[in-house]
Amino acid sequence: MKPRDVQVALIAADTTVLRSRTWDRLKFEVEYSLQRGTTANSYLIQAGKTAVFDPPGGSFTEIYLRELQQCVDLQQLDYVILGHVNPNRTVTLKALIQLAPHVTFVCSKAGAVALRSAFPEQELNILVARGEETLDLGRGHQLQFIPIPTPRWPDELCTYDPETRVLFTDKLLGAHVCGDQVFDEGWKLLDEDRRYYYDCLHAAQSRQVEIALDKFAPLSVKLYAPGHGPVVRYSLSRLFHDYRTWSQQQQDQDMTVALIYASAYGNTATLAQAIAKGITKVGVRVESINCEFTALDEIQAAVQKCDGFIIGSPTLGGHMPTQVQTALGTVLSTAAKTKLAGVFGSYGWSGEAIDEIEGKLQHAGYRFGFETIRAKFKPNDVILQQCKEAGTDFAQALKKAKKMRAPRQSVSGSQIDRTEQAVGRIVGSLCVVSAKREEVTSAMLASWVSQASFSPPGLTIAVAKDRAIESLMHTGDKFVLNILQEGMNLRRHFLKSFAPGEDRFADLSIQEAENGCPILSDALAYLECSIRSRSECGDHWLVYAIVENGSVLEPTGVAAVHHRKSGSYY
């Protein structure tokens, strides 16, 4: 694996990007799960005055500052502009203050509060950007500031330079990929990464994303300069359109979950992000609410309109934060007892806040959509997968309840749609797809499997968007296709419901394939596969994979076949 480095490139007049490159996966957020690495992009404008945007986290402090000093004398640095204040950046900011104690920080009002909290012992020079003022760096670089508060980043600030027509978008319009390309040449190859980035970070705050897009629309933009991934030059209109489409799709969903939380150190927010990812993949909208920055009347309105609600909290000094306590009171006095509930949280030494929220909701008579999730310190991959599966279960329960409430129509067998009956006559081999990525494993029963190519040998699998294994079935991922044998009981095992995070292979005889994924010892045959591409097809993803290895385990066995009566269900 390549070592971390900082790539420096000129992207516009007087404007340089410093891309702090991580080639392997960062493990602390669900957004990095595709293991493509990432870049932490910092930008430098050198005109009459000098400004640097968004220095990277502490793991890059030394090499970043070394490269920055190759570009500019830090004694001449006038401004540090922060798209958001991240605790991970404080190490680099502290070192920068020591080298340039005169520097002025530019951030939003919420960012100023976070910055002063991060450096309580220092008198910082802070310029609060509220959106009306501009900052003149000389040579025509009259910077315009666009505050865009979101639940995840209440201090979000974007910046537009009309001289170069560069829009510095911070967390928006990015992707977690790492490579040598500074710009987005061949941008079609970024489609999957961009969609995953949006789904993880922004689907749960789609309303705020639409507000941001409305603010961007009047600007004459030549480049998007995001906080992560390539600088966007060649796909400006396409990416803007994609964000608009994805956000509108979220807003158009007919069911909503209010996801209410506060986060002291970012751990509870990480859990919330994973739960939201699981909910939105089912086609249920999430209204993400950071109760530290949301008015009570907004929380009340969201709780009244939602179909279900989930509350998350850290434990601070043995208690929930005041903002969570107040929000919980609003929920208890507002939400109908028929609404589905959920609880999650993180803690250091004890988790009293989580227990207290759970107890009060139970006492009030609410039903829970999943077992309460408790994460000690920073959540790992297994906990994040549990959160995603819990979110999916919660959303599926809401949809099932809605379907049960819908008026039933009496339909005789002869009236069933003949087209659906005909589609149901398509048969396929009954298989179990098993996948593993680091410590996370999953599996699903599948019959929508077909050989797709001779050279190279390839196959396709249709994976429903709400399947737990879906998050392990992206381009570049590995899996094993276990072809089942007629007369064995493996089908029954994988037909049962699994709790979030439950081991799909408990009590089964398995082997490890060369690609690291589980092989079912009682299967008829298995194929080791690598995913080359995937396409969105309605409520499924169609995955195309290359077969890299395989073997027949029972030479005299017969493949199990799945027969259906209708094409409207499995």
Side-chain angles (χ1 to χ4, degrees):
M1 188 63 64
K2 295 182 181 179
R4 295 184 176 195
D5 63 0
V6 177
Q7 180 188 31
V8 181
L10 189 71
I11 61 169
D14 307 322
T15 308
T16 301
V17 62
L18 294 90
R19 307 174 76 227
S20 298
R21 299 190 291 185
T22 302
W23 298 90
D24 55 348
R25 185 213 162 178
L26 300 173
K27 297 185 178 181
F28 53 86
E29 303 271 3
V30 68
E31 68 200 75
Y32 299 105
S33 294
L34 296 189
Q35 300 180 330
R36 312 272 167 81
T38 192
T39 66
N41 298 336
S42 176
Y43 299 92
L44 174 67
I45 299 178
Q46 295 171 279
K49 293 185 177 180
T50 302
V52 67
F53 292 75
D54 299 318
S59 62
F60 279 100
T61 299
E62 184 178 343
I63 58 175
Y64 168 78
L65 291 177
R66 184 168 63 243
E67 291 293 339
L68 182 62
Q69 289 177 95
Q70 294 293 317
C71 299
V72 62
D73 179 358
L74 293 183
Q75 292 301 312
Q76 305 301 315
L77 181 61
D78 298 288
Y79 301 101
V80 174
I81 301 172
L82 299 174
H84 68 284
V85 178
N86 187 334
N88 187 42
R89 287 179 175 166
T90 55
V91 174
T92 307
L93 294 181
K94 183 177 180 180
L96 197 53
I97 291 170
Q98 291 174 345
L99 295 169
H102 58 281
V103 76
T104 296
F105 289 94
V106 182
C107 56
S108 66
K109 183 178 179 180
V113 173
L115 199 57
R116 291 191 178 102
S117 176
F119 297 95
E121 306 300 324
Q122 291 186 258
E123 285 293 329
L124 301 177
N125 301 317
I126 299 178
L127 174 63
V128 175
R130 292 181 170 85
E132 302 87 4
E133 62 283 286
T134 60
L135 181 62
D136 188 0
L137 299 182
R139 301 184 195 168
H141 299 281
Q142 193 89 19
L143 303 186
Q144 302 171 11
F145 298 108
I146 310 168
I148 303 174
T150 65
R152 188 69 172 88
W153 298 283
D155 56 341
E156 183 86 67
L157 180 71
C158 296
T159 305
Y160 179 61
D161 183 354
E163 174 65 19
T164 55
R165 295 162 57 192
V166 176
L167 178 61
F168 301 90
T169 60
D170 193 46
K171 283 292 185 179
L172 292 162
L173 305 169
H176 285 309
V177 292
C178 186
D180 293 324
Q181 278 189 199
V182 174
F183 296 99
D184 60 334
E185 301 99 330
W187 53 266
K188 282 294 293 179
L189 297 175
L190 296 170
D191 280 353
E192 184 178 350
D193 297 288
R194 284 172 165 175
R195 175 64 182 271
Y196 188 81
Y197 181 91
Y198 175 90
D199 286 346
C200 287
L201 295 186
H202 300 304
Q205 52 188 29
S206 56
R207 180 169 56 86
Q208 290 84 358
V209 171
E210 288 206 286
I211 293 171
L213 296 177
D214 290 341
K215 292 181 179 181
F216 294 167
L219 304 175
S220 178
V221 179
K222 187 176 180 180
L223 296 176
Y224 292 139
H228 303 286
V231 175
V232 182
R233 170 186 283 173
Y234 302 102
S235 57
L236 287 167
S237 59
R238 166 62 187 271
L239 186 55
F240 186 93
H241 176 267
D242 283 346
Y243 263 59
R244 183 73 82 182
T245 300
W246 298 333
S247 297
Q248 192 58 55
Q249 287 172 349
Q250 293 298 321
Q251 293 297 305
D252 290 344
Q253 301 295 352
D254 60 358
M255 303 193 79
T256 304
V257 172
L259 182 58
I260 305 164
Y261 69 94
S263 188
Y265 304 106
N267 297 331
T268 308
T270 297
L271 298 174
Q273 180 180 314
I275 292 170
K277 179 71 166 66
I279 294 170
T280 55
K281 69 190 280 186
V282 182
V284 173
R285 187 168 76 88
V286 173
E287 181 70 24
S288 186
I289 300 168
N290 187 333
C291 58
E292 294 181 86
F293 301 93
T294 308
L296 280 180
D297 59 340
E298 290 185 49
I299 297 175
Q300 186 176 36
V303 170
Q304 286 174 335
K305 290 190 298 183
C306 73
D307 298 279
F309 63 88
I310 302 172
I311 302 179
S313 176
T315 296
L316 302 177
H319 303 282
M320 69 181 90
T322 303
Q323 298 93 332
V324 178
Q325 193 167 7
T326 304
L328 177 60
T330 300
V331 169
L332 290 170
S333 63
T334 303
K337 300 301 184 289
T338 54
K339 292 190 177 184
L340 201 62
V343 179
F344 68 98
S346 62
Y347 62 95
W349 306 109
S350 58
E352 292 91 343
I354 309 165
D355 297 335
E356 188 176 355
I357 296 171
E358 181 185 48
K360 288 189 174 183
L361 292 176
Q362 284 177 334
H363 183 73
Y366 291 100
R367 291 185 306 109
F368 287 76
F370 55 80
E371 290 289 326
T372 296
I373 297 172
R374 298 170 173 84
K376 190 170 184 179
F377 298 111
K378 191 176 292 295
N380 58 26
D381 284 350
V382 175
I383 291 292
L384 293 179
Q385 182 68 16
Q386 180 186 352
C387 288
K388 285 188 280 189
E389 293 181 20
T392 296
D393 285 358
F394 192 93
Q396 288 174 332
L398 289 179
K399 286 200 160 188
K400 183 177 180 181
K402 182 179 180 180
K403 187 176 181 180
M404 294 290 287
R405 292 194 302 269
R408 295 188 179 184
Q409 297 180 349
S410 178
V411 181
S412 67
S414 61
Q415 292 174 305
I416 295 175
D417 190 331
R418 288 185 174 84
T419 301
E420 289 186 358
Q421 288 183 345
V423 172
R425 295 306 186 266
I426 299 174
V427 298
S429 295
L430 202 57
C431 305
V432 170
V433 181
S434 59
K436 182 177 182 179
R437 187 190 293 148
E438 295 188 351
E439 300 305 314
V440 176
T441 59
S442 193
M444 77 167 189
L445 197 64
S447 62
W448 293 6
V449 179
S450 178
Q451 184 168 349
S453 60
F454 286 125
S455 181
L459 54 85
T460 58
I461 303 176
V463 182
K465 291 179 177 178
D466 60 358
R467 291 290 192 126
I469 201 173
E470 180 273 335
S471 61
L472 304 180
M473 300 289 285
H474 285 267
T475 302
D477 283 330
K478 309 283 188 178
F479 67 88
V480 165
L481 184 70
N482 297 275
I483 303 164
L484 300 190
Q485 182 178 182
E486 191 67 52
M488 300 299 291
N489 290 323
L490 288 173
R491 172 181 179 173
R492 186 177 304 170
H493 174 87
F494 288 99
L495 277 174
K496 71 180 184 180
S497 297
F498 292 93
E502 184 179 350
D503 182 6
R504 269 63 172 172
F505 303 99
D507 302 322
L508 293 181
S509 175
I510 61 172
Q511 310 165 37
E512 184 176 303
E514 290 183 13
N515 65 11
C517 300
I519 298 171
L520 298 175
S521 300
D522 291 331
L524 173 68
Y526 72 89
L527 301 172
E528 297 184 38
C529 305
S530 177
I531 299 175
R532 288 291 179 88
S533 65
R534 75 179 209 164
S535 305
E536 190 171 12
C537 300
D539 55 3
H540 282 66
W541 291 101
L542 187 65
V543 172
Y544 171 67
I546 299 301
V547 178
E548 297 179 328
N549 192 17
S551 180
V552 176
L553 301 178
E554 293 290 339
T556 60
V558 177
V561 178
H562 185 207
H563 296 277
R564 300 179 297 156
K565 293 184 178 179
S566 171
S568 62
Y569 56 84
Y570 295 113

